[in-house]
Amino acid sequence: MFLLTYQEDDWEARTSSLCKFIHQLITILYHKVEAPDLCLRLFILAAQVADDCRLEELSYEFFVQTFVVYEESISESRSQLQAITGIISALQSSRVFGTDNYDTLVTKAALHGSKLLKKSHQATAVLYASHMWWQTDVPGREKEETVSHPRPAMDVY
């Protein structure tokens, strides 16, 4: 029993250290190489992995970094739509966040989607974003409590 507990504690510390190292690598890549689309996708993937490992703080930090990359470096209209839909998709399947962190990220994604230049892109992003306030079961995961926040969805739009 003691050995199992020790291994679980050690696993969480090692996973956390690995995620922090991955964060450093992606940040260095972002600052040294002109590949914001790649860095944004890597931050999204890292956020999903941290979510699967139940590391809320690290997952939140990775999502924050996706917004930093989006705001600073993604300027072409089509790339913005692809980036924001990727962020929305990843947020939709995340389950580690508490209400405050989730609402902060979801609201930020929805606001970015509503500020896209082309009306057709805005409509697409708003459609995808509207689903973030209603989380359903994710295939391959244990059945969890469904989150529903229909009122904030209307407030953002």
Side-chain angles (χ1 to χ4, degrees), residues 6-20 55:
Y6 174 75
Q7 288 176 344
E8 287 177 2
D9 291 342
D10 189 42
W11 179 85
E12 186 173 331
R14 287 182 182 199
T15 305
S16 180
S17 295
L18 181 61
C19 285
K20 289 175 185 176
L55 300 171

Side-chain angles (χ1 to χ4, degrees), residues 23 40 42-52 55-71 83-97 101-102 104-106 108-109 112 132:
H23 186 280
L40 186 126
L42 290 173
F43 275 125
I44 290 172
L45 287 171
Q48 290 174 316
V49 169
D51 180 75
D52 287 342
L55 300 171
E56 181 178 4
E57 290 178 21
L58 288 170
S59 184
Y60 184 82
E61 178 59 29
F62 283 123
F63 274 114
V64 167
Q65 289 304 312
T66 62
F67 288 115
V68 169
V69 172
Y70 176 84
E71 292 166 357
I84 204 66
T85 55
I87 293 169
I88 289 170
S89 176
L91 281 170
Q92 174 68 25
S93 64
S94 68
R95 294 294 183 265
V96 73
F97 296 116
N101 285 343
Y102 186 74
T104 300
L105 293 171
V106 166
K108 192 165 191 151
H112 280 300
M132 289 189 294

Side-chain angles (χ1 to χ4, degrees), residues 9 27-29 33 53 55 59-60 68 75 83 86-87 95 97 103 105-106 113 118 125 134 137 147-148 152-153 156:
D9 291 342
T27 302
I28 290 169
L29 181 66
V33 179
C53 294
L55 300 171
S59 184
Y60 184 82
V68 169
S75 58
I87 293 169
R95 294 294 183 265
F97 296 116
D103 284 345
L105 293 171
V106 166
K118 294 183 178 181
W134 188 268
D137 294 332
V147 178
S148 174
V156 171

